[in-house]
Amino acid sequence: MIERLVELGLNQSEARCYLALLQHPEATGYELAKSAGLQRANTYAALESLCEKGFASRTTTESPARHVAVPPSETLGRLKRQTARRVDTLIADLAAWTAPQPTTAITALQGHDAVADRILALIDAAQGRVALCCWSDDLSWLTDALRAAANSGCRVVVNVFGDGDLDVGEVFRHESPDRTVGGHLLLLAVDFRTALVATLDDHPQAIQTDQPALVRLVEKLIRDEAYLAAIFEQHRDALEQSFGPHLVDLRARLLPPDEADRLVSVVGFGAADHTLS
């Protein structure tokens, strides 16, 4: 708890003093020093600073002075609003400061946190449309952002591989990831202007681009996945009769040899015989 308060701008003594004050309202500096485990001089300095920052207030003018903590919902709510205003202003100022970016630019990202942060930022910045292909495991960190985009008026189209609950936008269900080959991929297209392709396996990495031809390619891949899911849902029996279980004949014929062999193994019993036939 102390470290989280420090992240918001308090020092260690202020954070400890604020937590002690929450549990001991109208305490004196001497009493807070004992409960917070601080020297009295540090406690008095922390109390004065907390009052200046709006985390505490003095309840008496007599000596010894007594203090109460400002409720967290009030003081942190105020801090949240102030931070949001500062960030919004800075975004606008930096946008005005930034030179136009070339449309052929491609940005490379490394590491799961960097890739996930960029994906969430792109979804958050969407103005009209978000289109996505992802694994069901990814929904744990994507759902809130997708819901916020939908609530802001964006059209949201999501291809989900595997079982996962998603009550946002148009959702197209696909087979489980353990019946796919090619690794853990994520495709994202935003507003027909920006695209991102990520691999989220052992060493996550991604590329983001505004290059029109590449954006159109990613858009087409996402749409084609949606088409396939919708068609397969309606005509599964006929398609598997023609192309084998999970369309293994067609898919294996077009994959690199090593991935074709793996596909046959993960699709299951009977697939190899069907393919050979």
Side-chain angles (χ1 to χ4, degrees):
M1 195 77 73
I2 290 175
E3 293 304 320
R4 292 161 71 183
L5 287 170
V6 169
E7 290 174 357
L8 294 178
L10 301 184
N11 61 36
Q12 288 277 342
S13 296
E14 292 166 352
R16 291 168 65 179
C17 190
Y18 181 67
L19 291 176
L21 201 56
L22 285 171
Q23 294 187 327
H24 304 283
E26 296 197 348
T28 65
Y30 174 76
E31 292 167 342
L32 284 174
K34 291 177 61 177
S35 60
L38 297 170
Q39 295 182 353
R40 272 188 286 177
N42 292 340
T43 301
Y44 293 131
L47 277 172
E48 183 177 352
S49 180
L50 287 173
C51 290
E52 293 175 354
K53 294 179 179 180
F55 280 78
S57 61
R58 185 169 176 167
T59 62
T60 62
T61 57
E62 56 197 41
S63 184
R66 296 184 179 276
H67 294 77
V68 294
V70 174
S73 60
E74 180 180 335
T75 189
L76 296 183
R78 173 177 46 79
L79 185 61
K80 180 180 179 180
R81 292 189 296 274
Q82 290 175 345
T83 302
R85 287 195 296 270
R86 290 170 183 162
V87 170
D88 289 344
T89 300
L90 184 57
I91 289 173
D93 291 344
L94 290 175
W97 181 268
T98 303
Q101 299 297 306
T103 57
T104 57
I106 294 179
T107 302
L109 302 159
Q110 300 284 340
H112 185 275
D113 289 347
V115 172
D117 286 347
R118 181 61 59 87
I119 291 168
L120 295 176
L122 289 172
I123 295 173
D124 182 63
Q127 298 296 310
R129 183 174 182 274
V130 174
L132 181 71
C133 286
C134 67
W135 284 15
S136 56
D137 291 348
D138 303 323
L139 296 178
S140 61
W141 54 274
L142 282 170
T143 298
D144 288 346
L146 293 172
R147 182 174 292 112
N151 290 339
S152 70
C154 288
R155 182 179 184 185
V156 176
V157 178
V158 184
N159 289 286
V160 178
F161 288 80
D163 296 328
D165 294 329
L166 184 64
D167 57 355
V168 176
E170 300 171 75
V171 181
F172 296 88
R173 302 287 179 181
H174 294 260
E175 61 194 346
S176 172
D178 61 12
R179 291 188 177 275
T180 65
V181 294
H184 187 173
L185 296 176
L186 184 149
L187 307 179
L188 172 68
V190 175
D191 294 335
F192 301 101
R193 291 198 305 265
T194 303
L196 181 143
V197 178
T199 174
L200 300 177
D201 293 304
D202 293 338
H203 303 287
Q205 53 188 302
I207 58 169
Q208 175 190 334
T209 183
D210 296 326
Q211 210 286 331
L214 295 178
V215 173
R216 291 175 65 182
L217 176 61
V218 174
E219 283 278 1
K220 184 179 186 305
L221 289 172
I222 296 172
R223 286 197 305 273
D224 286 349
E225 292 288 4
Y227 298 155
L228 285 171
I231 293 169
F232 196 74
E233 183 179 5
Q234 293 294 321
H235 306 287
R236 176 172 185 149
D237 291 343
L239 290 169
E240 291 197 331
Q241 184 176 356
S242 297
F243 301 112
H246 293 278
L247 312 185
V248 65
D249 288 352
L250 178 61
R251 295 165 66 191
R253 192 162 70 240
L254 299 176
L255 284 168
D258 58 334
E259 292 192 6
D261 291 341
R262 182 172 181 274
L263 175 66
V264 171
S265 69
V266 300
V267 164
F269 178 76
D273 293 339
H274 197 284
T275 303
L276 290 173
S277 69

